[in-house]
Amino acid sequence: MSVEKTKILLIGSGGVGTIASYALEYAGKSEVTSVLRSDYNKVTEKGFSIDSCDYGQIDSFRPSHIAKSVEDSLRYGPFEYILVVTKSVPEVGSMVDVIAPAVSDNTAIVLIQNGIGIEGEVITKFPKNAVLSGVSMIGSSNIDSHINHEAPDSLKVGVFESNKAVKDVTQAVCKKFVEIYSNDKNSCVYDESVKFTRWRKLVYNATLNSVCAITGVDSGRLEVFGGTDSIIRKAMREVLAVAKSDGVELPEDVIDFMIRSDDPVYYAPSMLIDVHKGNLMEVEVISGNAVRIAEKNGVSAPYLTLLYELLKVIQKKTMEKKGLLTVPKERPVPK
Amino acid sequence: MSVEKTKILLIGSGGVGTIASYALEYAGKSEVTSVLRSDYNKVTEKGFSIDSCDYGQIDSFRPSHIAKSVEDSLRYGPFEYILVVTKSVPEVGSMVDVIAPAVSDNTAIVLIQNGIGIEGEVITKFPKNAVLSGVSMIGSSNIDSHINHEAPDSLKVGVFESNKAVKDVTQAVCKKFVEIYSNDKNSCVYDESVKFTRWRKLVYNATLNSVCAITGVDSGRLEVFGGTDSIIRKAMREVLAVAKSDGVELPEDVIDFMIRSDDPVYYAPSMLIDVHKGNLMEVEVISGNAVRIAEKNGVSAPYLTLLYELLKVIQKKTMEKKGLLTVPKERPVPK
């Protein structure tokens, strides 16, 4: 008896997304359709080249199907899972409308994305669908359809609390996803407390990642220059307080764990790389949502708040440079 | 009867210092000796060229004497006044030792420099000398010994409170300085409450100047991007609270005055220009001292504190680029 493979739609084939599609295909239980934009021609012709700490050297990898757009992908559906592995930059648009054509009643949506409170919009738009929370720990980049996968793929997947209406279903759907994603090279586990895991990752992203982006130095220099002790510890303590107000009690020692997590490398976190490349950063889902939760719950978080306000200004500067925003020719002045 | 001219030593002939030397020579009551380093040869040969909103176009200006160093200047002394018009960057050295050879019992030291609490070191080193506080409001730059003087020279001079031991003398010495500096083109007044004036200027420098440097945008864009309302007003209110704890009650409306002070220009403040040029900023005298006064007086100033900590990291990045600081080749990691 041949088992039919699970159909999966992948949105976002960067460093993380492409390794996800490889992991799924390698496990052999699913059939991945990947929506590609800038990489479409190159990958259709030559495939991705992959240099992976988990899978070794792969000269040419193509997922089962490649589509030019979500509309174009529908011929390979219907999809049981849609994996969203894009950067979240709500300032320039939402994923919700993009994926809508591919969402049917039985589609589960898996958000493998940074930040906290990222599920609200998806759950509002698709209230009857299972929406899963994926927190990825991986080091992987896509430069011109070459994937450089440096740190092992470790994925935790769980159920968003606010997705309770369909929770029983969701849990089963989640466990199935873990089953089809897992293989002998990677680590993928069902995470009972994925909210904890998400907040835990934010301890790094809302502080070290953000401050490196603002100051323009890597996490090693930040420490050598005194910023880790003067800024990061205080900001991390604020993240712990906000998480607590959101029902997640992180242990105090997560602070030193995160501060040491880049050892022994002068490591440039993702937002610093974004700044250097002139790309937009994931400001709103990382800092913005944390600050909004702090405000809602009456938690004092002046460092997180100011870092967020500074990041927003830098983000707008990037938007102006990218032509996504125009500043009036004459400076607006009150009458 | 010929009146002997007052001998003045000028340390720092940038945009502000050179206009000060011109103002003094133009008034005709003093004889300026200017210590030049990088500009020495050019100015000895051709003089400064000046384009001034106060004095018009001057093809070639040389102060009465030009010296290569303070030691070299001594043959034109003894000096009744030493004007220090340098940028204060204590991270790389202090002016105190530089001027020491030219300080005699009757020398008054006039600090025309940014920041708050800048007099401590000078008064400690020269406890018997008059030390004057000059707060300059001027727009003037020196590029390659060409002075572009755009906004009128307005100088307020007063007595540092901690210079009380010699206060009566100091006050007379101060009024004499105002007398010899004033001419029909500029504005120079004796300021009974120069500490107020210094704190007032800091309302701009510790906030707008600092945040523009950190975010890399001019003060106009900062406002268009929302940062003026979200960051600057809050930080300015902290400056007011710190000033109050230091005995200076600034009126609330100074906040809007400073926010509007660059209208209608997309203005790049000095620290932003420093960052763009890879120069060191006046972090310690502007932000550092304000934060230290806040701490000493138990005033909560989280925004000023974080801005200061961020500026320090950026300053160290610049120091590394300039070769003033070396980062270990391997990232230091605790055992």
Side-chain angles (χ1 to χ4, degrees):
Chain A
M1 179 186 125
S2 89
V3 181
E4 208 179 322
K5 290 189 174 180
T6 305
K7 290 182 174 176
I8 298 188
L9 180 64
L10 172 70
I11 312 287
S13 203
V16 185
T18 307
I19 292 299
S21 66
Y22 191 86
L24 287 158
E25 300 273 4
Y26 178 90
K29 295 167 188 163
S30 61
E31 177 185 303
V32 177
T33 300
S34 180
V35 175
L36 300 179
R37 285 166 183 260
S38 51
D39 282 344
Y40 181 85
N41 288 331
K42 202 163 175 190
V43 174
T44 304
E45 213 176 298
K46 296 186 176 177
F48 290 102
S49 59
I50 300 179
D51 202 342
S52 165
C53 56
D54 286 347
Y55 306 103
Q57 191 96 25
I58 297 117
D59 290 338
S60 174
F61 164 66
R62 285 184 201 82
S64 296
H65 309 289
I66 298 173
K68 274 187 171 170
S69 64
V70 171
E71 286 74 11
D72 181 35
S73 77
L74 299 180
R75 55 194 163 120
Y76 305 115
F79 301 106
E80 209 171 312
Y81 294 91
I82 299 178
L83 257 62
V84 181
V85 200
T86 55
K87 236 166 87 174
S88 306
V89 188
E91 296 94 315
V92 294
S94 150
M95 264 304 117
V96 162
D97 295 326
V98 174
I99 63 171
V103 179
S104 68
D105 286 357
N106 299 315
T107 307
I109 301 157
V110 191
L111 305 179
I112 304 182
Q113 296 182 295
N114 278 324
I116 201 79
I118 60 170
E119 69 277 23
E121 202 192 9
V122 183
I123 289 174
T124 305
K125 174 93 178 185
F126 310 110
K128 291 178 183 164
N129 290 77
V131 182
L132 307 182
S133 175
V135 180
S136 171
M137 292 288 176
I138 190 175
S140 184
S141 63
N142 174 352
I143 297 174
D144 244 354
S145 70
H146 173 74
I147 309 297
N148 190 24
H149 177 202
E150 292 177 298
D153 180 13
S154 168
L155 182 64
K156 294 188 173 189
V157 192
V159 175
F160 280 115
E161 274 189 14
S162 48
N163 197 218
K164 271 178 194 149
V166 283
K167 186 156 182 189
D168 286 345
V169 178
T170 311
Q171 204 160 315
V173 167
C174 190
K175 286 179 175 167
K176 178 172 178 185
F177 181 78
V178 171
E179 169 71 21
I180 60 175
Y181 191 92
S182 297
N183 60 45
D184 61 329
K185 308 285 188 188
N186 67 9
S187 157
C188 179
V189 294
Y190 171 68
D191 188 347
E192 192 78 60
S193 50
V194 70
K195 189 177 175 186
F196 176 96
T197 306
R198 208 164 256 290
W199 268 112
R200 191 170 185 279
K201 193 174 177 190
L202 204 88
V203 172
Y204 184 97
N205 280 333
T207 62
L208 275 164
N209 204 345
S210 301
V211 173
C212 287
I214 292 168
T215 56
V217 303
D218 58 64
S219 62
R221 279 180 172 73
L222 187 69
E223 185 169 33
V224 172
F225 295 166
T228 301
D229 280 336
S230 69
I231 303 167
I232 300 303
R233 289 180 183 279
K234 208 162 168 179
M236 284 185 171
R237 242 171 262 123
E238 290 184 2
V239 177
L240 263 59
V242 183
K244 193 174 177 183
S245 79
D246 195 37
V248 170
E249 192 125 11
L250 293 161
E252 183 80 14
D253 64 7
V254 71
I255 291 177
D256 277 290
F257 178 87
M258 290 300 174
I259 286 173
R260 300 266 58 90
S261 66
D262 299 332
D263 284 352
V265 181
Y266 284 105
Y267 184 76
S270 62
M271 292 165 89
L272 173 60
I273 290 175
D274 286 336
V275 168
H276 282 163
K277 289 191 177 169
N279 290 336
L280 295 170
M281 303 174 287
E282 296 187 292
V283 176
E284 292 302 331
V285 290
I286 290 174
S287 294
N289 286 349
V291 166
R292 282 181 279 272
I293 292 168
E295 276 169 7
K296 195 186 69 183
N297 297 347
V299 176
S300 166
Y303 271 37
L304 292 182
T305 306
L306 177 50
L307 293 175
Y308 171 49
E309 301 296 353
L310 292 167
L311 286 169
K312 273 199 292 188
V313 172
I314 295 169
Q315 183 88 325
K316 293 228 166 118
K317 179 177 68 173
T318 305
M319 289 174 75
E320 187 191 3
K321 280 197 187 132
K322 288 176 99 73
L324 298 166
L325 178 80
T326 309
V327 167
K329 208 173 165 190
E330 306 274 320
R331 176 177 178 180
V333 164
K335 282 170 195 165
Chain B
M1 178 186 124
S2 89
V3 181
E4 208 180 322
K5 290 189 175 180
T6 305
K7 289 182 175 176
I8 297 188
L9 179 64
L10 173 69
I11 311 286
S13 202
V16 184
T18 307
I19 292 300
S21 66
Y22 192 86
L24 287 159
E25 299 272 3
Y26 178 90
K29 295 169 189 162
S30 60
E31 180 185 301
V32 177
T33 300
S34 181
V35 174
L36 300 179
R37 283 167 185 261
S38 51
D39 281 346
Y40 182 84
N41 287 331
K42 203 163 173 189
V43 174
T44 304
E45 211 176 300
K46 297 183 174 177
F48 289 102
S49 60
I50 301 180
D51 202 343
S52 166
C53 57
D54 286 346
Y55 305 102
Q57 191 95 25
I58 297 117
D59 291 337
S60 175
F61 164 66
R62 284 186 202 82
S64 296
H65 310 289
I66 297 173
K68 274 187 172 172
S69 63
V70 171
E71 285 73 11
D72 181 35
S73 77
L74 299 180
R75 55 196 163 122
Y76 305 116
F79 301 107
E80 209 171 313
Y81 294 92
I82 298 178
L83 257 63
V84 181
V85 201
T86 54
K87 239 167 84 173
S88 307
V89 189
E91 297 94 315
V92 293
S94 149
M95 263 305 119
V96 162
D97 295 325
V98 174
I99 63 171
V103 179
S104 66
D105 285 357
N106 298 314
T107 307
I109 301 157
V110 192
L111 304 180
I112 305 182
Q113 296 182 295
N114 278 324
I116 201 77
I118 60 171
E119 68 277 23
E121 202 192 8
V122 183
I123 289 174
T124 304
K125 174 94 177 184
F126 310 109
K128 291 178 183 164
N129 290 77
V131 183
L132 307 182
S133 175
V135 180
S136 171
M137 290 290 177
I138 190 174
S140 184
S141 62
N142 174 353
I143 298 176
D144 243 354
S145 68
H146 174 73
I147 309 297
N148 190 23
H149 177 201
E150 292 176 299
D153 181 13
S154 169
L155 183 64
K156 295 190 172 186
V157 191
V159 175
F160 281 114
E161 274 189 14
S162 48
N163 197 219
K164 270 177 193 150
V166 283
K167 187 157 182 188
D168 286 344
V169 178
T170 311
Q171 202 159 315
V173 166
C174 190
K175 286 179 175 167
K176 178 171 177 185
F177 181 78
V178 171
E179 169 71 20
I180 59 174
Y181 191 93
S182 296
N183 59 46
D184 61 329
K185 307 286 187 186
N186 67 10
S187 157
C188 180
V189 295
Y190 170 67
D191 188 346
E192 191 78 60
S193 49
V194 70
K195 189 178 175 186
F196 176 96
T197 306
R198 207 163 257 291
W199 269 112
R200 189 170 185 278
K201 193 175 177 190
L202 204 88
V203 172
Y204 184 98
N205 281 332
T207 62
L208 276 163
N209 204 345
S210 301
V211 172
C212 287
I214 292 168
T215 57
V217 304
D218 58 64
S219 62
R221 280 178 171 74
L222 187 69
E223 185 168 34
V224 172
F225 295 165
T228 301
D229 280 337
S230 69
I231 303 168
I232 299 303
R233 289 181 183 280
K234 209 162 167 180
M236 284 184 172
R237 243 170 262 122
E238 289 185 1
V239 177
L240 264 60
V242 183
K244 194 174 175 183
S245 80
D246 194 40
V248 169
E249 191 125 10
L250 293 160
E252 184 79 14
D253 64 6
V254 72
I255 290 177
D256 276 290
F257 178 86
M258 289 299 174
I259 286 172
R260 299 266 59 87
S261 65
D262 299 331
D263 285 352
V265 181
Y266 284 106
Y267 184 75
S270 61
M271 290 165 89
L272 174 59
I273 291 176
D274 286 335
V275 168
H276 281 163
K277 289 191 178 171
N279 290 335
L280 294 170
M281 303 174 287
E282 297 186 291
V283 176
E284 292 301 331
V285 290
I286 291 173
S287 294
N289 286 349
V291 166
R292 281 181 279 271
I293 292 169
E295 275 169 8
K296 193 187 70 181
N297 296 346
V299 176
S300 164
Y303 271 37
L304 293 183
T305 306
L306 177 50
L307 294 174
Y308 171 48
E309 301 296 354
L310 292 168
L311 286 169
K312 273 199 291 188
V313 173
I314 295 169
Q315 183 89 325
K316 292 229 167 117
K317 179 177 66 172
T318 305
M319 288 174 75
E320 187 191 2
K321 281 197 186 132
K322 288 175 100 73
L324 299 167
L325 178 80
T326 309
V327 167
K329 209 172 165 193
E330 305 275 321
R331 178 177 177 180
V333 163
K335 282 169 197 168

